[in-house]
Amino acid sequence: RELEEALALRKQAEDELRRINADLTREVGEHKQAENAVREQEQELVAIFENAPFIMLLLDGDRIVRRVNGLACSFTGSSSSEMIGRRDGEALRCLNALSSPNGCGYGPHCQKCEVRLTVMDTYETGQSHYQVEATLPFSIRGKEEQLAFLLSTTRVNVGNHPMVLLSIQDITELKKLEALFFQAQKMESIGIFAGGIAHDFNNILTAIIGYGDITLRKMSGDDRQRRNIENMLAAAKRG
């Protein structure tokens, strides 16, 4: 009887171990699935970040670059290692930042810099900004250029640390095309205005020429005023 009771207890213990083992196996499987899902999401986010059609920088609270995408490197002509660890203006090669001894944020023009103000506001308040227009001088591959761009900012948490995702779209060429378009519109308006004036003036000259011709035909060949009428008609026709 004692042996039977011991065997029964042992069987209960084995059944319990078998159940616990099944639960653990299921939990391990679920954990692996969750890990794979997180890994896939991370890979997707990295792919989106790297292949985004905008310049993208991940900044900490001091505006230090923590990560950049490929387009940012192409824009500046710098490698990611050269940009990471520097402030945003220095990494992007803003002339206002490069010309200041203390770097980005300390130059005479930095206090009103749209990039600095927008990034700081997003970091401090959590407020996102979209397509803020700014114009800054840059030194790109040894060439100084005044560039126009749209910037957007969003606060994100990376490892429980708040950071700012800054995206920049270069619209310099678009601005040049807009300027040409506005110039063409202005010239077209001037042309229409000048054409209207010419049309009205032609009507006046037509009346002068018409009445001048009638007057000249009615004058005798030796009329003393004939020469005056002829000069008037010649001037009107030139007009």
Side-chain angles (χ1 to χ4, degrees), residues 67-112:
R67 188 166 190 164
V68 298
N69 69 345
L71 197 57
C73 296
S74 299
F75 171 77
T76 59
S78 306
S79 65
S80 59
S81 59
E82 291 173 322
M83 298 179 69
I84 292 174
R86 307 179 73 182
R87 289 194 186 95
D88 49 358
E90 298 157 6
L92 292 170
R93 302 197 59 75
C94 170
L95 281 175
N96 293 334
L98 298 178
S99 60
S100 171
N102 296 319
C104 179
Y106 297 94
H109 301 285
C110 294
Q111 296 306 309
K112 296 181 179 180

Side-chain angles (χ1 to χ4, degrees), residues 13-26:
E14 288 177 348
D15 291 342
E16 182 65 17
L17 284 173
R18 211 172 280 114
R19 185 188 63 78
I20 292 173
N21 185 58
D23 291 342
L24 287 174
T25 301
R26 185 179 65 258

Side-chain angles (χ1 to χ4, degrees), residues 5 17 27 39 185 206 210:
E5 290 175 354
L17 284 173
E27 289 179 4
R39 193 176 297 111
Q185 280 188 320
T206 299

Side-chain angles (χ1 to χ4, degrees), residues 28-101:
V28 168
E30 291 174 352
H31 185 67
K32 285 184 177 180
Q33 287 180 351
E35 284 184 343
N36 291 335
V38 169
R39 193 176 297 111
E40 288 177 2
Q41 289 179 352
E42 289 177 349
Q43 291 173 350
E44 289 174 357
L45 291 174
V46 169
I48 292 170
F49 183 85
E50 288 297 334
N51 297 285
F54 309 109
I55 298 167
M56 299 192 75
L57 298 89
L58 186 64
L59 311 172
D60 65 14
D62 296 320
R63 291 182 296 108
I64 301 297
V65 177
R66 296 303 179 189
R67 188 166 190 164
V68 298
N69 69 345
L71 197 57
C73 296
S74 299
F75 171 77
T76 59
S78 306
S79 65
S80 59
S81 59
E82 291 173 322
M83 298 179 69
I84 292 174
R86 307 179 73 182
R87 289 194 186 95
D88 49 358
E90 298 157 6
L92 292 170
R93 302 197 59 75
C94 170
L95 281 175
N96 293 334
L98 298 178
S99 60
S100 171

Side-chain angles (χ1 to χ4, degrees), residues 64-203:
I64 301 297
V65 177
R66 296 303 179 189
R67 188 166 190 164
V68 298
N69 69 345
L71 197 57
C73 296
S74 299
F75 171 77
T76 59
S78 306
S79 65
S80 59
S81 59
E82 291 173 322
M83 298 179 69
I84 292 174
R86 307 179 73 182
R87 289 194 186 95
D88 49 358
E90 298 157 6
L92 292 170
R93 302 197 59 75
C94 170
L95 281 175
N96 293 334
L98 298 178
S99 60
S100 171
N102 296 319
C104 179
Y106 297 94
H109 301 285
C110 294
Q111 296 306 309
K112 296 181 179 180
C113 174
E114 288 289 349
V115 179
R116 188 183 71 87
L117 294 175
T118 304
V119 169
M120 288 179 60
D121 182 71
T122 296
Y123 183 82
E124 292 170 359
T125 67
Q127 177 68 42
S128 297
H129 295 276
Y130 301 100
Q131 296 190 333
V132 178
E133 188 170 332
T135 302
L136 288 174
F138 288 89
S139 175
I140 306 297
R141 297 180 179 88
K143 184 180 179 182
E144 296 183 3
E145 296 183 76
Q146 192 81 6
L147 302 180
F149 52 88
L150 297 175
L151 61 98
S152 300
T153 55
T154 302
R155 192 168 72 177
V156 295
N157 288 322
V158 180
N160 295 324
H161 297 291
M163 292 193 182
V164 176
L165 183 63
L166 169 64
S167 64
I168 297 175
Q169 182 182 5
D170 187 357
I171 58 170
T172 306
E173 292 302 320
L174 179 61
K175 282 291 183 182
K176 291 178 181 179
L177 290 175
E178 283 183 352
L180 290 174
F181 176 70
F182 291 144
Q183 180 67 14
Q185 280 188 320
K186 185 165 66 174
M187 295 305 296
E188 182 183 7
S189 299
I190 292 173
I192 293 172
F193 180 64
I197 292 175
H199 179 74
D200 292 342
F201 199 59
N202 263 343
N203 290 339

